[in-house]
Amino acid sequence: MGPLATHMAVHIVLMNIVAPLAASGISWIGPAGRAVGGQVLALATFAQITALWAWHAPPLLNRALEFPSVHLLMNASLFLAAFLFWRAVLHFHGKRSWQSIVALLMTSKLYCLLAVLFVFAPRALYPDIATSHTAHATGALNTTLADQQLAGLMMLAACPVTYVLAGVVIAARWLLALEKDEAAPESRAGAEAWT
């Protein structure tokens, strides 16, 4: 694996595994606080999309790979944005779950779009990555392009596993909650008829 694919593997682990598990763990451990509003979910969604695309702009990514402190800032901000996003997504229950599904769909589409750009770009988007201090490759342009394509393929594999799977689970819970709410008035009406 080249430097960009390795870098992307770290992002995938942070944003698609560690952040949702941490957000889910805090939901289980912490007390049920105030309900998250749609504006908080929208802000968390915007923050995650913005962080993902901004840090993968060639000048910022090259800078992050050149300086360890910027690299640490990038990983920390991507994790924080993902954690806030997953915390907001997982906090919606009942009739408002559709908002979480919309946020997951928007985020996953833009995440996958970035991956598609990596895979199908006709040239290396990050030609300087081979000369960065983290690169141990030969520096050939073909190697850099292949590394970029592998990074994109890894993103395309991770996207459905997390975002789509989470959307399916939330949609199933939402439909069960709607079904339960519809059944509740009928059972009360039946109980009143017997009294």
Side-chain angles (χ1 to χ4, degrees):
M1 240 180 357
L4 187 59
T6 302
H7 175 80
M8 201 55 62
V10 171
H11 288 183
I12 289 168
V13 169
L14 285 176
M15 298 179 74
N16 296 3
I17 297 172
V18 177
L21 288 176
S24 179
I26 286 179
S27 296
W28 283 96
I29 295 171
R34 202 171 57 125
V36 173
Q39 291 176 340
V40 172
L41 179 63
L43 184 60
T45 302
F46 178 76
Q48 174 158 301
I49 292 169
T50 302
L52 181 71
W53 277 81
W55 279 115
H56 288 89
L60 287 179
L61 184 64
N62 286 333
R63 181 70 69 182
L65 293 174
E66 187 178 345
F67 298 104
S69 59
V70 179
H71 193 253
L72 182 62
L73 175 64
M74 174 179 51
N75 286 336
S77 64
L78 286 172
F79 171 75
L80 180 62
F83 173 78
L84 294 174
F85 171 77
W86 285 105
R87 178 80 172 115
V89 163
L90 296 173
H91 203 51
F92 274 82
H93 298 288
K95 293 179 183 178
R96 294 180 3 175
S97 294
W98 65 269
Q99 294 175 349
S100 293
I101 296 168
V102 169
L104 285 165
L105 287 173
M106 286 177 33
T107 305
S108 68
K109 292 298 179 192
L110 291 171
Y111 183 99
C112 288
L113 178 61
L114 182 61
V116 166
L117 288 174
F118 278 29
V119 172
F120 293 108
R123 62 178 180 80
L125 299 174
Y126 308 100
D128 296 338
I129 200 167
T131 60
S132 73
H133 76 281
T134 59
H136 301 292
T138 60
L141 191 56
N142 289 340
T143 304
T144 304
L145 183 59
D147 182 35
Q148 174 182 299
Q149 291 167 341
L150 177 60
L153 288 173
M154 291 167 49
M155 291 173 69
L156 284 173
C159 181
V161 172
T162 51
Y163 292 91
V164 175
L165 181 61
V168 167
V169 169
I170 291 170
R173 285 191 335 202
W174 176 39
L175 292 174
L176 288 173
L178 289 175
E179 188 177 293
K180 184 179 176 183
D181 287 347
E182 287 178 6
E186 293 172 7
S187 63
R188 281 194 298 263
E192 291 171 0
W194 285 100
T195 57

